[in-house]
Amino acid sequence: MDVTSLGFYSENSYYGYKGSMLSPLIKFLCLFQSVTESFGAAISSLNAVHLTDTVIHRSKRMMLDTLGVGLLGTSTAVFSKALQYSQFFKSVERSSVWGRSGMTLPPQYAAFVNGIAVHSMDFDDTWHPATHPSGAVLPAILALAETLPTQTSGLDLLLAFNAGIEVQGQLMRFSKEAHNIPRRFHPPAVVGVMGSAAASAKLLALSPAQCVHSLAIAASSAGAPMANAATQTKPLHTGNAARRGLEAAKLALLGLEGSQAILDLESGFGVFYSDYSPSELPGTNGGCGGGFRWVLEEQDVAIKRFPAHLGMHWVVDAALEARAKLGASGEPDLCKVQKVVLRVPPSRYIDCPFPAMEHQARHSFQFNACSALLDNQVSVNSFSGPQIDRPALRELLAKVRVENPQDNHPSFDKMYCEVTVEMEHGESVTARCDTFYGHWRKPLSQEDLVGKFEANASTVLSQEAVESVVDIIGNIEKCPDCTVLRSYLQMSRPTTHLFREHLG
């Protein structure tokens, strides 16, 4: 129960209670508010004044990176298959498919295919506790914004995006288990669908009760087993999260209801965590709990430099340093490598000794370490068939041994990687990475982040469109109509003065 819905709240008092009497009354009323209701109230009441400079800055970086990896992802086989399937569905409402000039789909399917594109190469942002927060949210609200009867401002989009990110961050803090590299289910399919529902509910301006039902409906679409990691099905987890969250909010708008205690119960959202311990979301209006603070304010995301599982970034940076030590007096002769030892945290699904396809390679400590040693880099092209199958790589993979030191915890906040390379003539070098460049402790510079976007987006868009998207996202809070993005994301060539006019 949200105290503001009782009918006796005003800006300075609750039914005439002021001063020292106000706090005890709020505490009394809060006894009747469930965790789920606190989330519904917060989602509904969030407004632009709650956005801080740090949150705006970080979320704009997340949005730009997500669009870039999504545009690049439209070249993948999994995206093409999902697009082919989605074109069977028709509706009056239509939303844009990124990177496809003039192509539209029903909004939930546009969210689906664009979400798949974002995660198709495992190139999207990663958070702590572990999930990919943006890919489930941004495709949903961009698709939804195109269908709304009123103009959606960039600030509206930014607020909805952050509502979706916040819900994910809060839910993951209900479990200590969630802090580790996942073992049983893929988090975007669990917290991501809840974030999509929250963001969509915010953009639809749903009431607190409708926001509660959005979360409840979305929870019944949550879940995806980790057995599908390193396969073409894994990107569907993000696409489904975007789609199902959007559908949940639209169903709640039509009056569909679900459990009003979905976040409170072990038989509700608690089914995903053995140590589930939910707590109320602090109020945004001075009400129950007070003191609202964004999770994103305290915990930044990691931005990847190459398209692979986040754990690969530690092993690549360590391997590159080891290679540099070997080549201090010239190019290292890797034909004379006798053994490569990787000291990494235990995680079964990213321990893949001999990957046979790109999705396995993106989840292989061994492949990424050997690629870095051989090529002095890991890039988008590293995961192509010819690169995976080359004899030199296969020979080096056969020399790799993996160790799991007890002090190397399977957490993106605590793990490290050591790479030792032993040569035939007795030389041995070791390099260790505790924090890779791009991690939240060592974030990409703005120049490098924009450079990543430009490299990815330019594979699909014209140079004018690439520059325009950078400009729009960089000033999104000033843009009166966020759907101006649509034209640029579909490779059309509107004149640059169009965005200037939108900024006024």
PDB file of all heavy atoms in Angstrom, residues 137-155:
ATOM      1  N   VAL A 137      16.166  -3.710 -22.066  1.00  0.00           N
ATOM      2  CA  VAL A 137      15.376  -2.508 -21.792  1.00  0.00           C
ATOM      3  C   VAL A 137      15.282  -1.577 -22.999  1.00  0.00           C
ATOM      4  O   VAL A 137      14.193  -1.184 -23.421  1.00  0.00           O
ATOM      5  CB  VAL A 137      15.955  -1.755 -20.574  1.00  0.00           C
ATOM      6  CG1 VAL A 137      15.262  -0.410 -20.379  1.00  0.00           C
ATOM      7  CG2 VAL A 137      15.834  -2.612 -19.312  1.00  0.00           C
ATOM      8  N   LEU A 138      16.426  -1.200 -23.563  1.00  0.00           N
ATOM      9  CA  LEU A 138      16.420  -0.182 -24.620  1.00  0.00           C
ATOM     10  C   LEU A 138      15.618  -0.604 -25.855  1.00  0.00           C
ATOM     11  O   LEU A 138      14.829   0.198 -26.377  1.00  0.00           O
ATOM     12  CB  LEU A 138      17.855   0.190 -25.001  1.00  0.00           C
ATOM     13  CG  LEU A 138      17.991   1.404 -25.929  1.00  0.00           C
ATOM     14  CD1 LEU A 138      17.396   2.661 -25.303  1.00  0.00           C
ATOM     15  CD2 LEU A 138      19.457   1.644 -26.292  1.00  0.00           C
ATOM     16  N   PRO A 139      15.756  -1.839 -26.363  1.00  0.00           N
ATOM     17  CA  PRO A 139      14.933  -2.224 -27.520  1.00  0.00           C
ATOM     18  C   PRO A 139      13.438  -2.163 -27.234  1.00  0.00           C
ATOM     19  O   PRO A 139      12.642  -1.810 -28.123  1.00  0.00           O
ATOM     20  CB  PRO A 139      15.377  -3.666 -27.805  1.00  0.00           C
ATOM     21  CG  PRO A 139      16.769  -3.737 -27.264  1.00  0.00           C
ATOM     22  CD  PRO A 139      16.734  -2.886 -26.027  1.00  0.00           C
ATOM     23  N   ALA A 140      13.045  -2.469 -25.996  1.00  0.00           N
ATOM     24  CA  ALA A 140      11.622  -2.455 -25.647  1.00  0.00           C
ATOM     25  C   ALA A 140      11.064  -1.039 -25.666  1.00  0.00           C
ATOM     26  O   ALA A 140      10.009  -0.777 -26.250  1.00  0.00           O
ATOM     27  CB  ALA A 140      11.412  -3.098 -24.271  1.00  0.00           C
ATOM     28  N   ILE A 141      11.759  -0.111 -25.021  1.00  0.00           N
ATOM     29  CA  ILE A 141      11.181   1.238 -24.911  1.00  0.00           C
ATOM     30  C   ILE A 141      11.305   2.028 -26.213  1.00  0.00           C
ATOM     31  O   ILE A 141      10.461   2.885 -26.494  1.00  0.00           O
ATOM     32  CB  ILE A 141      11.774   2.025 -23.718  1.00  0.00           C
ATOM     33  CG1 ILE A 141      13.298   2.109 -23.790  1.00  0.00           C
ATOM     34  CG2 ILE A 141      11.321   1.384 -22.410  1.00  0.00           C
ATOM     35  CD1 ILE A 141      13.911   2.947 -22.671  1.00  0.00           C
ATOM     36  N   LEU A 142      12.322   1.750 -27.016  1.00  0.00           N
ATOM     37  CA  LEU A 142      12.384   2.411 -28.324  1.00  0.00           C
ATOM     38  C   LEU A 142      11.257   1.922 -29.223  1.00  0.00           C
ATOM     39  O   LEU A 142      10.637   2.710 -29.952  1.00  0.00           O
ATOM     40  CB  LEU A 142      13.739   2.163 -28.982  1.00  0.00           C
ATOM     41  CG  LEU A 142      14.917   3.000 -28.463  1.00  0.00           C
ATOM     42  CD1 LEU A 142      16.207   2.597 -29.150  1.00  0.00           C
ATOM     43  CD2 LEU A 142      14.653   4.491 -28.657  1.00  0.00           C
ATOM     44  N   ALA A 143      10.976   0.618 -29.187  1.00  0.00           N
ATOM     45  CA  ALA A 143       9.856   0.082 -29.976  1.00  0.00           C
ATOM     46  C   ALA A 143       8.533   0.643 -29.473  1.00  0.00           C
ATOM     47  O   ALA A 143       7.654   1.016 -30.276  1.00  0.00           O
ATOM     48  CB  ALA A 143       9.852  -1.447 -29.895  1.00  0.00           C
ATOM     49  N   LEU A 144       8.369   0.721 -28.164  1.00  0.00           N
ATOM     50  CA  LEU A 144       7.130   1.231 -27.581  1.00  0.00           C
ATOM     51  C   LEU A 144       6.934   2.710 -27.898  1.00  0.00           C
ATOM     52  O   LEU A 144       5.816   3.141 -28.217  1.00  0.00           O
ATOM     53  CB  LEU A 144       7.155   1.009 -26.070  1.00  0.00           C
ATOM     54  CG  LEU A 144       5.951   1.507 -25.273  1.00  0.00           C
ATOM     55  CD1 LEU A 144       4.657   0.871 -25.761  1.00  0.00           C
ATOM     56  CD2 LEU A 144       6.161   1.245 -23.779  1.00  0.00           C
ATOM     57  N   ALA A 145       8.003   3.490 -27.821  1.00  0.00           N
ATOM     58  CA  ALA A 145       7.904   4.940 -28.047  1.00  0.00           C
ATOM     59  C   ALA A 145       7.344   5.265 -29.429  1.00  0.00           C
ATOM     60  O   ALA A 145       6.627   6.259 -29.603  1.00  0.00           O
ATOM     61  CB  ALA A 145       9.274   5.593 -27.868  1.00  0.00           C
ATOM     62  N   GLU A 146       7.648   4.419 -30.416  1.00  0.00           N
ATOM     63  CA  GLU A 146       7.168   4.671 -31.772  1.00  0.00           C
ATOM     64  C   GLU A 146       5.658   4.506 -31.908  1.00  0.00           C
ATOM     65  O   GLU A 146       5.065   4.972 -32.874  1.00  0.00           O
ATOM     66  CB  GLU A 146       7.868   3.728 -32.752  1.00  0.00           C
ATOM     67  CG  GLU A 146       9.340   4.012 -32.952  1.00  0.00           C
ATOM     68  CD  GLU A 146       9.920   3.166 -34.069  1.00  0.00           C
ATOM     69  OE1 GLU A 146       9.290   3.090 -35.144  1.00  0.00           O
ATOM     70  OE2 GLU A 146      10.994   2.573 -33.871  1.00  0.00           O
ATOM     71  N   THR A 147       5.027   3.833 -30.941  1.00  0.00           N
ATOM     72  CA  THR A 147       3.599   3.535 -31.049  1.00  0.00           C
ATOM     73  C   THR A 147       2.726   4.421 -30.176  1.00  0.00           C
ATOM     74  O   THR A 147       1.498   4.351 -30.273  1.00  0.00           O
ATOM     75  CB  THR A 147       3.336   2.072 -30.642  1.00  0.00           C
ATOM     76  OG1 THR A 147       3.565   1.919 -29.224  1.00  0.00           O
ATOM     77  CG2 THR A 147       4.236   1.121 -31.398  1.00  0.00           C
ATOM     78  N   LEU A 148       3.327   5.250 -29.347  1.00  0.00           N
ATOM     79  CA  LEU A 148       2.538   6.042 -28.405  1.00  0.00           C
ATOM     80  C   LEU A 148       1.831   7.192 -29.114  1.00  0.00           C
ATOM     81  O   LEU A 148       2.386   7.782 -30.056  1.00  0.00           O
ATOM     82  CB  LEU A 148       3.434   6.574 -27.280  1.00  0.00           C
ATOM     83  CG  LEU A 148       4.078   5.513 -26.385  1.00  0.00           C
ATOM     84  CD1 LEU A 148       4.954   6.161 -25.322  1.00  0.00           C
ATOM     85  CD2 LEU A 148       3.022   4.627 -25.740  1.00  0.00           C
ATOM     86  N   PRO A 149       0.638   7.563 -28.659  1.00  0.00           N
ATOM     87  CA  PRO A 149      -0.114   8.631 -29.330  1.00  0.00           C
ATOM     88  C   PRO A 149       0.470  10.016 -29.106  1.00  0.00           C
ATOM     89  O   PRO A 149       0.211  10.929 -29.880  1.00  0.00           O
ATOM     90  CB  PRO A 149      -1.509   8.517 -28.710  1.00  0.00           C
ATOM     91  CG  PRO A 149      -1.280   7.876 -27.378  1.00  0.00           C
ATOM     92  CD  PRO A 149      -0.134   6.939 -27.571  1.00  0.00           C
ATOM     93  N   THR A 150       1.254  10.165 -28.041  1.00  0.00           N
ATOM     94  CA  THR A 150       1.870  11.459 -27.756  1.00  0.00           C
ATOM     95  C   THR A 150       3.378  11.362 -27.937  1.00  0.00           C
ATOM     96  O   THR A 150       3.960  10.279 -27.846  1.00  0.00           O
ATOM     97  CB  THR A 150       1.555  11.922 -26.324  1.00  0.00           C
ATOM     98  OG1 THR A 150       2.009  10.931 -25.396  1.00  0.00           O
ATOM     99  CG2 THR A 150       0.061  12.139 -26.146  1.00  0.00           C
ATOM    100  N   GLN A 151       3.996  12.482 -28.152  1.00  0.00           N
ATOM    101  CA  GLN A 151       5.424  12.540 -28.391  1.00  0.00           C
ATOM    102  C   GLN A 151       6.196  12.134 -27.139  1.00  0.00           C
ATOM    103  O   GLN A 151       5.901  12.586 -26.039  1.00  0.00           O
ATOM    104  CB  GLN A 151       5.779  13.977 -28.797  1.00  0.00           C
ATOM    105  CG  GLN A 151       7.203  14.197 -29.241  1.00  0.00           C
ATOM    106  CD  GLN A 151       7.375  15.568 -29.861  1.00  0.00           C
ATOM    107  OE1 GLN A 151       6.972  15.809 -30.996  1.00  0.00           O
ATOM    108  NE2 GLN A 151       7.940  16.488 -29.097  1.00  0.00           N
ATOM    109  N   THR A 152       7.188  11.282 -27.313  1.00  0.00           N
ATOM    110  CA  THR A 152       8.046  10.841 -26.208  1.00  0.00           C
ATOM    111  C   THR A 152       9.355  11.604 -26.262  1.00  0.00           C
ATOM    112  O   THR A 152      10.105  11.504 -27.239  1.00  0.00           O
ATOM    113  CB  THR A 152       8.322   9.330 -26.305  1.00  0.00           C
ATOM    114  OG1 THR A 152       7.089   8.620 -26.272  1.00  0.00           O
ATOM    115  CG2 THR A 152       9.195   8.870 -25.151  1.00  0.00           C
ATOM    116  N   SER A 153       9.641  12.365 -25.228  1.00  0.00           N
ATOM    117  CA  SER A 153      10.870  13.147 -25.217  1.00  0.00           C
ATOM    118  C   SER A 153      12.061  12.256 -24.884  1.00  0.00           C
ATOM    119  O   SER A 153      11.915  11.146 -24.357  1.00  0.00           O
ATOM    120  CB  SER A 153      10.782  14.275 -24.184  1.00  0.00           C
ATOM    121  OG  SER A 153      10.851  13.757 -22.864  1.00  0.00           O
ATOM    122  N   GLY A 154      13.243  12.772 -25.170  1.00  0.00           N
ATOM    123  CA  GLY A 154      14.450  12.054 -24.793  1.00  0.00           C
ATOM    124  C   GLY A 154      14.559  11.875 -23.299  1.00  0.00           C
ATOM    125  O   GLY A 154      15.069  10.858 -22.811  1.00  0.00           O
ATOM    126  N   LEU A 155      14.076  12.851 -22.549  1.00  0.00           N
ATOM    127  CA  LEU A 155      14.108  12.745 -21.094  1.00  0.00           C
ATOM    128  C   LEU A 155      13.155  11.657 -20.610  1.00  0.00           C
ATOM    129  O   LEU A 155      13.465  10.919 -19.663  1.00  0.00           O
ATOM    130  CB  LEU A 155      13.740  14.098 -20.472  1.00  0.00           C
ATOM    131  CG  LEU A 155      14.071  14.292 -18.985  1.00  0.00           C
ATOM    132  CD1 LEU A 155      15.564  14.083 -18.731  1.00  0.00           C
ATOM    133  CD2 LEU A 155      13.648  15.679 -18.528  1.00  0.00           C
TER     134      LEU A 155
END
